[in-house]
């Protein structure tokens, strides 16, 4: 880093074409040869308040801090202002944000929670550091270029048993080293998983959240809960190790939230099933080796574990988020599947799929919660540094009202998510299926609706930047464009709201009267 020191008077001498210096947060930059290359044009740099001046406020009204960290711009620094020190710094690995409401209460200094232990805190710090160092650069690249997650990053994830942890506590963790040994398999609980899920959503890369092996998160539970020991031994280890990939193939053009409308057919032929049909909007489907698939038979529904073959083809489905998620249309063209790949009993396929939804829906609410909190942080930062009408944006009462609504929503979501997570920690899988289907359905409806309202408020706060893919409002643009996914995936809002109420009505005591 350049060590030469200057005074502000020194900088003032370099304020013209061909000789242009500026100061940003105590650092001195020589832009003489860069001016004509400036994406916004050279004129911006020669403006009063910029050329030969401390342009910190002007810069952060137009650019994110990350711009200064890019090598091509960092090398323009030639020194620093004598007596001044850098004050605007990115978070270090695992570091907590000090912006109010940027972190949940349990991570905020001076506040308390009954849910989290010291081990949860250690786990959080290590997980955030790992994700910032290993996953965030990949997330940004893949969200932009649409490519699937690289095998290199998958291998690093596998070393900490990332996918296994995303499946929650259970027998599948036995003998594994989790997060470098920070938490023992028998001590890992749903709050550890909640931490993981909220953290992966903090990069403003919604499609990559699904591309981050979400296919395995939602398609492995049927194997773990209903598969035979032989099936588990054959398929699970390679998937958890990142050597093979798997997707949940339930949704069809014929059947979305109406799962019972599935038209993919499996016909028994000796020791094989012959599967014919299509599946649509299948997360990670474009790069999966296996498909946990709901099929219709003469005896009712069945779930089959189908391996990719010449009779199983996939093609991308172009949706409004990045193709890094691997969203696929799958065609089963008389695919032959060994009867040995049947999960559970024939005729019980619908109950297998429905029991799997609770964890998936809870996971979606957790990632949505993490993303919403990031949006709140972005808005608080922006309204503090954006000057409008000669004052910070938060000087406007209407802006403060929007911030109040956003903060209230995310804190309400956090409280309900933690309550449900506590129940999950104290219930068996069967009890969760029996008691939490309705509450989790209502939770997901509430959280996803809150997210879309926050997306609208955030877009209004950021204005044109909130609908621009790059730059200051890129996180807001991404969230505004992709927040409807949380309202659709794992069950549409209206369907889930109805499910939650129907579950409540079923439990109404017969003697209940006003």
């Amino acid at each position: 880093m350049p060590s030469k020191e200057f005074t502000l008077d020194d900088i003032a001498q370099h304020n013209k074409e061909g000789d242009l210096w500026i100061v940003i947060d105590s650092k001195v930059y020589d832009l003489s040869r860069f001016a004509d290359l400036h994406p916004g044009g050279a004129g911006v740099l020669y403006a009063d308040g910029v050329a030969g001046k401390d342009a910190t406020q002007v810069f952060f009204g137009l650019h994110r801090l990350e711009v200064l960290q890019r090598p091509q711009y960092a090398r323009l620094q030639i020194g620093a202002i004598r007596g001044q020190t850098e004050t605007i710094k990115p978070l270090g690995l695992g570091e907590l944000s000090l912006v109010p409401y940027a972190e949940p209460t349990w991570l905020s200094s001076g506040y308390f929670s009954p849910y989290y232990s010291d081990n949860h805190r250690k786990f959080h710090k290590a997980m955030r550091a790992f994700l910032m160092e290993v996953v965030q650069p990949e997330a940004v690249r893949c969200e932009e270029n649409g490519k699937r997650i690289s095998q290199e990053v998958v291998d690093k994830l596998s070393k900490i048993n990332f996918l296994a942890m995303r499946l929650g506590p259970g027998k599948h963790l036995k003998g594994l080293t989790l997060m470098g040994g920070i938490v023992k398999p028998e001590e890992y609980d749903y709050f550890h998983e909640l931490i993981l899920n909220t953290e992966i959503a903090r990069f403003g890369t919604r499609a990559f959240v699904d591309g981050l092996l979400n296919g395995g998160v939602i398609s492995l539970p049927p194997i773990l809960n209903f598969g035979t020991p032989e099936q588990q031994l054959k398929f699970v280890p390679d998937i958890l190790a990142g050597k093979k990939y798997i997707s949940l193939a339930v949704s069809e053009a014929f059947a979305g939230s109406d799962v019972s409308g599935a038209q993919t057919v499996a016909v028994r032929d000796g020791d094989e099933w012959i599967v014919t049909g299509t599946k649509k909007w299948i997360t990670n489907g474009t790069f999966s080796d296996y498909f946990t698939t709901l099929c219709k038979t003469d005896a009712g529904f069945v779930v089959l574990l189908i391996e990719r073959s010449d009779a199983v083809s996939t093609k991308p489905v172009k949706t409004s988020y990045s193709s890094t998620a691997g969203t696929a249309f799958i065609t089963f063209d008389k695919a032959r599947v060994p009867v040995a790949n049947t999960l559970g009993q024939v005729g019980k396929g619908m109950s297998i799929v429905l029991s799997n939804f609770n964890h998936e829906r809870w996971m979606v609410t957790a990632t949505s919660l993490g993303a919403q909190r990031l949006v709140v942080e972005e808005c608080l930062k922006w309204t503090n540094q954006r000057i409008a009408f000669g004052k910070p944006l938060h000087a406007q009462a209407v802006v403060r009202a929007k911030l109040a609504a956003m903060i209230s929503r995310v804190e309400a979501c956090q409280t309900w998510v933690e309550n449900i997570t506590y129940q999950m920690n104290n219930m068996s899988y069967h009890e969760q299926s029996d008691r939490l289907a309705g509450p989790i359905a209502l939770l997901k409806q509430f959280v996803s609706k809150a997210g879309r309202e926050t997306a609208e408020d955030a877009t209004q706060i950021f204005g044109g930047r909130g609908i621009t893919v790059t730059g200051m409002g890129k996180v807001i643009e991404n969230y505004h464009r992709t927040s409807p996914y949380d309202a659709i995936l794992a069950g549409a809002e209206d369907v889930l709201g109805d499910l939650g109420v129907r579950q409540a009505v079923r439990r109404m005591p017969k003697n209940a009267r006003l």
Side-chain angles (χ1 to χ4, degrees):
M1 179 177 293
S3 58
K4 191 170 183 180
E5 292 187 340
F6 303 93
T7 66
L8 290 175
D9 288 338
D10 294 333
I11 308 305
Q13 307 305 311
H14 303 273
N15 62 353
K16 53 186 177 295
E17 189 172 347
D19 183 17
L20 176 63
W21 293 7
I22 66 170
V23 178
I24 302 175
D25 191 25
S26 80
K27 298 177 181 179
V28 179
Y29 295 86
D30 184 350
L31 307 185
S32 302
R33 288 186 289 179
F34 168 75
D36 290 336
L37 302 176
H38 184 244
V44 176
L45 301 178
Y46 295 121
D48 291 341
V50 176
K53 302 285 181 61
D54 186 331
T56 302
Q57 182 172 304
V58 177
F59 177 86
F60 285 107
L62 298 169
H63 299 290
R64 301 178 70 91
L65 175 59
E66 64 197 48
V67 171
L68 295 178
Q69 299 171 285
R70 294 173 186 167
Q72 65 268 37
Y73 301 133
R75 68 170 62 103
L76 298 176
Q77 184 187 351
I78 58 173
I81 296 298
R82 184 178 299 122
Q84 293 187 8
T85 57
E86 178 185 9
T87 60
I88 305 171
K89 301 178 181 179
L91 289 179
L93 295 181
E95 190 177 353
L96 297 175
S97 173
L98 298 180
V99 174
Y101 302 104
E103 306 285 2
T105 304
W106 74 276
L107 287 173
S108 302
S109 179
Y111 292 86
F112 308 92
S113 169
Y115 297 126
Y116 300 91
S117 66
D118 287 341
N119 185 260
H120 289 121
R121 296 178 188 280
K122 292 178 182 177
F123 179 82
H124 173 271
K125 185 173 183 178
M127 179 59 69
R128 177 171 288 190
F130 174 86
L131 292 174
M132 290 175 70
E133 181 178 19
V134 175
V135 178
Q136 185 170 10
E138 179 85 347
V140 174
R141 282 195 299 269
C142 291
E143 190 79 10
E144 291 178 356
N145 63 30
K147 295 181 179 179
R148 57 175 283 193
I149 186 173
S150 68
Q151 189 61 44
E152 178 185 0
V153 172
V154 171
D155 291 342
K156 291 179 180 178
L157 291 168
S158 299
K159 286 183 179 179
I160 65 168
N161 286 297
F162 177 82
L163 179 54
M165 290 190 288
R166 290 203 67 193
L167 295 168
K171 295 178 181 178
H172 64 282
L173 298 179
K174 185 177 181 179
L176 300 181
T177 300
L178 307 182
M179 204 63 222
I182 286 179
V183 56
K184 297 178 181 178
E186 63 271 20
E187 296 174 350
Y188 186 85
D189 64 16
Y190 286 110
F191 280 103
H192 288 98
E193 188 189 355
L194 175 61
I195 291 168
L196 193 161
N197 284 327
T198 52
E199 286 299 310
I200 63 175
R202 287 183 55 84
F203 306 141
T205 52
R206 179 61 182 85
F208 187 81
V209 169
D210 286 351
L212 197 57
L213 311 183
N214 258 24
V217 178
I218 61 180
S219 59
L220 275 174
I223 304 175
L224 296 173
N225 293 309
F226 299 96
T228 64
E230 293 76 18
Q231 290 169 336
Q232 294 171 0
L233 184 61
K234 178 180 179 181
F235 296 105
V236 175
D238 279 352
I239 296 172
L240 292 183
K243 297 177 181 178
K244 296 287 185 178
Y245 300 92
I246 187 169
S247 297
L248 180 67
V250 173
S251 298
E252 301 181 3
F254 308 98
S257 295
D258 176 21
V259 178
S260 62
Q263 299 295 307
T264 297
V265 175
V267 178
R268 184 73 177 263
D269 182 23
D271 292 335
E272 294 180 315
W273 293 99
I274 300 177
V275 179
T276 304
T278 59
K279 298 291 181 179
K280 194 172 184 181
W281 303 293
I282 306 305
T283 301
N284 298 176
T286 59
F287 55 85
S288 284
D289 302 289
Y290 309 124
F291 305 91
T292 302
T293 310
L294 180 68
C295 302
K296 186 168 65 173
T297 75
D298 290 339
F301 286 98
V302 67
V303 177
L304 302 178
L305 188 51
I306 302 178
E307 302 178 53
R308 186 182 284 271
S309 67
D310 291 341
V312 180
S313 61
T314 60
K315 61 181 180 180
V317 175
K318 186 174 179 59
T319 70
S320 55
Y321 73 1
S322 171
S323 57
T324 187
T327 309
F329 182 88
I330 306 173
T331 301
F332 300 105
D333 186 11
K334 298 179 181 178
R336 289 190 169 272
V337 182
V339 170
N341 284 18
T342 304
L343 297 176
Q345 300 177 28
V346 177
K348 299 291 186 180
M350 188 58 63
S351 62
I352 292 174
V353 168
L354 293 179
S355 68
N356 190 48
F357 276 139
N358 280 347
H359 182 265
E360 179 183 0
R361 289 165 180 164
W362 172 82
M363 178 267 291
V364 172
T365 66
T367 55
S368 176
L369 176 62
Q372 288 181 48
R373 199 170 284 283
L374 172 64
V375 169
V376 169
E377 179 180 15
E378 292 276 310
C379 288
L380 283 168
K381 286 180 177 178
W382 177 240
T383 57
N384 193 55
Q385 70 192 63
R386 169 63 168 165
I387 304 301
F389 306 106
K391 298 178 180 179
L393 200 56
H394 57 54
Q396 305 296 324
V398 66
V399 172
R400 295 197 300 274
K402 290 185 182 299
L403 291 172
M406 295 167 68
I407 292 168
S408 299
R409 284 192 291 263
V410 76
E411 291 300 321
C413 290
Q414 182 84 35
T415 299
W416 197 356
V417 168
E418 288 179 340
N419 177 278
I420 291 294
T421 303
Y422 183 76
Q423 308 310 316
M424 292 167 65
N425 258 358
N426 290 278
M427 292 183 185
S428 66
Y429 186 83
H430 174 74
E431 289 172 328
Q432 290 179 36
S433 299
D434 178 54
R435 300 177 186 174
L436 294 183
I440 288 177
L442 292 170
L443 169 68
K444 181 177 178 295
Q445 181 195 46
F446 180 82
V447 172
S448 62
K449 278 190 172 183
R452 287 186 294 126
E453 290 173 9
T454 289
E456 286 294 329
D457 284 344
T459 303
Q460 289 298 315
I461 287 174
F462 271 78
R465 292 172 173 85
I467 54 173
T468 303
V469 175
T470 58
M472 299 295 288
K474 67 177 185 177
V475 171
I476 307 306
E477 187 281 330
N478 186 288
Y479 188 66
H480 186 267
R481 173 166 43 86
T482 62
S483 57
Y485 282 77
D486 297 332
I488 300 297
L489 301 186
E493 280 179 355
D494 291 340
V495 174
L496 295 187
D498 182 65
L499 169 63
V501 173
R502 284 189 290 108
Q503 291 281 324
V505 169
R506 280 178 50 197
R507 295 179 180 274
M508 282 289 291
K510 294 183 179 180
N511 63 347
R513 297 292 187 276
L514 292 176

